[in-house]
Amino acid sequence: MNRYVKEVFDAHVLIQRWFTDSAAPEQVCDELLARFSPAYSMVTITGHRLDHPALCAFFRAQRGAKSGLKIEVEKPVLIAESEKGAVVAYQERQQLPGQPETLRYSTVLFVTDAEGKILWRHLHETPAA
């Protein structure tokens, strides 16, 4: 599996754990947030823009906040790749118990730092119609 596509799956495993496990150690959130560039930006499915500090505040407040949440990453597509990063598109299906599932289409821009570590630089989410 391409390393950028693998990063999408790996990050969502951490996100699901953090959102669902009220006993998750702080290290889970630290590991998750370390994946994002300090220059990170995001357009959410509601059209709001988040920067890195807003993302950190959001995640810090979400430990165990969505008990039973299931997140599935589907249909990843490597759009472009270079020695400096990549663009990956994927579908993200979420469902909370007793609620309808939601589907979003996401496109992420990855960059690599000087040591070759993959960082999320920009994420754009669009709700499925």
Side-chain angles (χ1 to χ4, degrees), residues 12-87:
H12 283 83
V13 167
L14 288 173
I15 292 167
Q16 181 174 307
R17 180 171 180 206
W18 185 249
F19 282 175
T20 60
D21 183 359
S22 60
E26 195 72 26
Q27 178 183 351
V28 173
C29 191
D30 293 344
E31 183 181 339
L32 175 61
L33 292 175
R35 297 174 123 78
F36 296 92
S37 165
Y40 179 78
S41 60
M42 175 180 182
V43 178
T44 70
I45 61 169
T46 59
H48 291 93
R49 295 184 54 87
L50 293 179
D51 59 11
H52 190 265
L55 178 80
C56 291
F58 170 76
F59 274 124
R60 293 271 178 223
Q62 295 298 310
R63 178 176 18 203
K66 297 183 179 186
S67 180
L69 175 70
K70 300 290 184 208
I71 300 175
E72 292 185 30
V73 173
E74 304 169 341
K75 301 181 182 178
V77 176
L78 181 66
I79 295 174
E81 182 178 8
S82 74
E83 66 281 348
K84 295 181 182 181
V87 176

